[in-house]
Amino acid sequence: MSILTVATVPFAGQRPGTSGLRKKVTEFLQPGYLENFVEAIFNTLGDCRGKTLVVGGDGRYFNRTATGIIVRMAAAHGFARVLVGQNGILSTPAVSCVIRKHGAFGGLILSASHNPGGPDGDFGIKYNGDNGGPAPEKFTDAVYAATGTLAQYRISDAAAPALDAIGSTQFDGMQVEVIDSVADYAALMGELFDFPAIARLFASGFTMRYDGMHAVGGPYAHAIFESMLGAPAGTVINGTPLEDFGGHHPDPNPVSAAELIDIMFGADAPDFGAASDGDADRNMIVGRALAVTPSDSLAILAANATIAPGYRDGLRGIARSMPTSTAADRVARALGIPSYETPTGWKYFGNLLDAGMATLCGEESYGTGSNHIREKDGIWAILFWLNLLAATNKPVDTIVREHWARFGRNYYSRHDYEAVEVAPAEAMMAQLRERVATLAGTQLGSFTVALADDFAYTDPVDHALATGQGIRIVMTDGSRIVFRLSGTGTEGATVRLYLEQYEADPARHERDPQQALAPLAAIAEQLSQLQSRTGRSTPTVIT
Ligand code: G1P
Ligand code: ZN
């Protein structure tokens, strides 16, 4: 077998976004498109000889083919060993776990997360480094630059190895190890959480419904919740990964996971509901007739972290992305630990976790995680809640309401305007950027603006500066309006409007969030003319 050097020409637009390169499958299917991007990554890494690479994805359409191409290219670039999930399947958190556990050089994750799959859907690829986390911007910028000048890529001419059976084979001078997709990850979960207590909870008749959304979480949930923890069969629904996720949007929010919400809000609802997304790094937590806001979930886990064996010694700090509600900051203050506000995207948590400055991290977009790996982690968050439910013997809604009573409630909602025209969306952001410069100290409705800016972040560890991370308008009472353009969409522009209002008075904690936030929404519209500019009278999705 030999190494082929294949002539190629650069593809425009191979710039990684919030989380890797995400494009329509049709774009990825162009000959050389994936190969060019992988070549750019390997060239940016430099000398790959003798190193170990992890490869896996969420099982969406093109996952298996892409895995084969990557393995053949890894052999051509001199990697000594590739660890591949069985059938090319590894959740994003599992890749992070496997990289760390096996001391790999890095890993390639094949996923477009919560974006739809199938031949007409999306595909994605990103590189994670030896800490198990998404490569920093410095690296992804270099990869993008490399994609612009490629003239050739290298690939083994051998046929891609079979990935069906667990075991090790030699492949063109490289060792290919097909690993159990779940085992390493499940072992780590067993170290962090009180599995015997959770098993006793299930044995006592506690009921749960986990919606795998036909995505990669299913195999992990079957193994951990049903086989290891003894939850009855049927606890996991939609648990078989499908290449097109059954035609659904594999995003665990009340809109996309409507089936689970119907179950949890119906008669005879189970005690606990949960879901994860395409690559199982996101989570949604649902009690009987109550969907827990992700920002609240982060705050609640932080406030109760010491119930879990892995966090018994307490937390070093809590980090949240800027648009995420400030509920977790209140917990950090009460615990006497630092809190950090980072730009959107998990990669910004990496340095804080590596430096031991933060233990828990979270994003409003249904992402929660900790220093156990360097990705957000859906199954982990669900296990944390199960551990909390087992330790307190209280239902989800009681835990949430007691939290609000102690810390106050941060009413919170995100309004997404998807696939709008790029030019008016960018014009709106530009106008807002100008406007916020003079907003501080002014009156907006019943609010007074304390601070308004285009969020910029200096990483406290490596001092890297990230600018233009979203328009933030913070009121003197802590209420906030945030505007951002999505960095993960694959069609036009997506405008995200985030609204947050703090309410200390427990007598006012049972309001409908959209009603509670209506005054802020009106101010946001008045400032931005979002709806008239985009020609939309309502958001595409409200979470
Ligand atoms: C979205 C979320 C963000 C998350 C990212 C990857 O990015 O808003 O919190 O980190 O997906 O899951 P966005 O499309 O807003 O750039
Ligand atoms: Zn995801």
Side-chain angles (χ1 to χ4, degrees), residues 338-486:
S339 57
Y340 302 91
E341 183 175 43
T342 60
T344 296
W346 207 260
K347 61 184 173 219
Y348 293 103
F349 295 134
N351 279 347
L352 295 171
L353 294 168
D354 284 348
M357 294 163 77
T359 308
L360 293 193
C361 307
E363 292 196 274
E364 51 66 40
S365 51
Y366 296 83
T368 333
S370 89
N371 59 351
H372 67 294
I373 53 171
R374 294 296 179 271
E375 290 280 0
K376 55 187 177 251
D377 191 343
I379 302 284
W380 168 91
I382 297 164
L383 285 166
F384 212 143
W385 268 92
L386 283 170
N387 201 151
L388 178 57
L389 296 167
T392 58
N393 241 318
K394 290 177 183 169
V396 173
D397 70 311
T398 304
I399 291 175
V400 172
R401 290 194 164 90
E402 287 181 0
H403 184 91
W404 292 340
R406 181 172 166 207
F407 293 96
R409 177 171 184 185
N410 293 71
Y411 282 103
Y412 188 85
S413 182
R414 182 173 108 179
H415 294 188
D416 293 332
Y417 294 78
E418 292 177 353
V420 300
E421 278 176 51
V422 174
E426 284 180 347
M428 182 197 82
M429 292 300 287
Q431 177 256 324
L432 279 169
R433 211 165 283 131
E434 242 170 65
R435 183 79 198 274
V436 289
T438 56
L439 269 186
T442 61
Q443 193 76 21
L444 293 175
S446 62
F447 301 91
T448 307
V449 178
L451 174 152
D453 64 1
D454 188 358
F455 182 61
Y457 176 70
T458 304
D459 186 295
V461 179
D462 66 11
H463 308 294
L465 175 68
T467 56
Q469 296 297 318
I471 302 294
R472 147 179 99 142
I473 302 159
V474 186
M475 312 301 183
T476 47
D477 71 347
S479 298
R480 300 192 311 159
I481 298 170
V482 173
F483 293 91
R484 269 185 75 246
L485 294 186
S486 158

Side-chain angles (χ1 to χ4, degrees), residues 471-538:
I471 302 294
R472 147 179 99 142
I473 302 159
V474 186
M475 312 301 183
T476 47
D477 71 347
S479 298
R480 300 192 311 159
I481 298 170
V482 173
F483 293 91
R484 269 185 75 246
L485 294 186
S486 158
T488 59
T490 54
E491 212 180 311
T494 291
V495 181
R496 304 205 195 283
L497 165 64
Y498 310 79
L499 303 165
E500 173 181 5
Q501 182 165 359
Y502 180 66
E503 178 59 68
D505 180 4
R508 294 171 59 81
H509 283 174
E510 299 299 332
R511 301 176 67 197
D512 169 57
Q514 298 308 324
Q515 265 166 25
L517 295 165
L520 281 172
I523 293 169
E525 177 57 26
Q526 187 204 327
L527 283 174
S528 64
Q529 277 100 52
L530 167 59
Q531 298 196 342
S532 58
R533 279 174 186 273
T534 55
R536 302 279 178 85
S537 55
T538 47

Side-chain angles (χ1 to χ4, degrees), residues 240-373:
T240 306
L242 299 176
E243 286 197 329
D244 66 350
F245 308 116
H248 297 295
H249 219 112
D251 201 1
N253 62 49
V255 179
S256 301
E259 183 181 350
L260 178 70
I261 292 291
D262 282 350
I263 294 171
M264 295 307 299
F265 281 68
D268 302 324
D271 297 303
F272 181 57
S276 54
D277 72 327
D279 58 336
D281 60 353
R282 294 185 173 197
N283 74 91
M284 176 171 70
I285 300 297
V286 196
R288 282 205 181 109
L290 177 89
V292 183
T293 307
S295 299
D296 279 348
S297 177
L298 171 67
I300 291 166
L301 294 182
N304 297 285
T306 51
I307 55 95
Y311 306 90
R312 201 138 273 163
D313 296 337
L315 308 177
R316 295 283 200 91
I318 308 169
R320 63 164 174 86
S321 66
M322 183 273 281
T324 304
S325 101
T326 52
D329 301 13
R330 293 175 189 280
V331 174
R333 267 200 296 281
L335 294 173
I337 57 173
S339 57
Y340 302 91
E341 183 175 43
T342 60
T344 296
W346 207 260
K347 61 184 173 219
Y348 293 103
F349 295 134
N351 279 347
L352 295 171
L353 294 168
D354 284 348
M357 294 163 77
T359 308
L360 293 193
C361 307
E363 292 196 274
E364 51 66 40
S365 51
Y366 296 83
T368 333
S370 89
N371 59 351
H372 67 294
I373 53 171

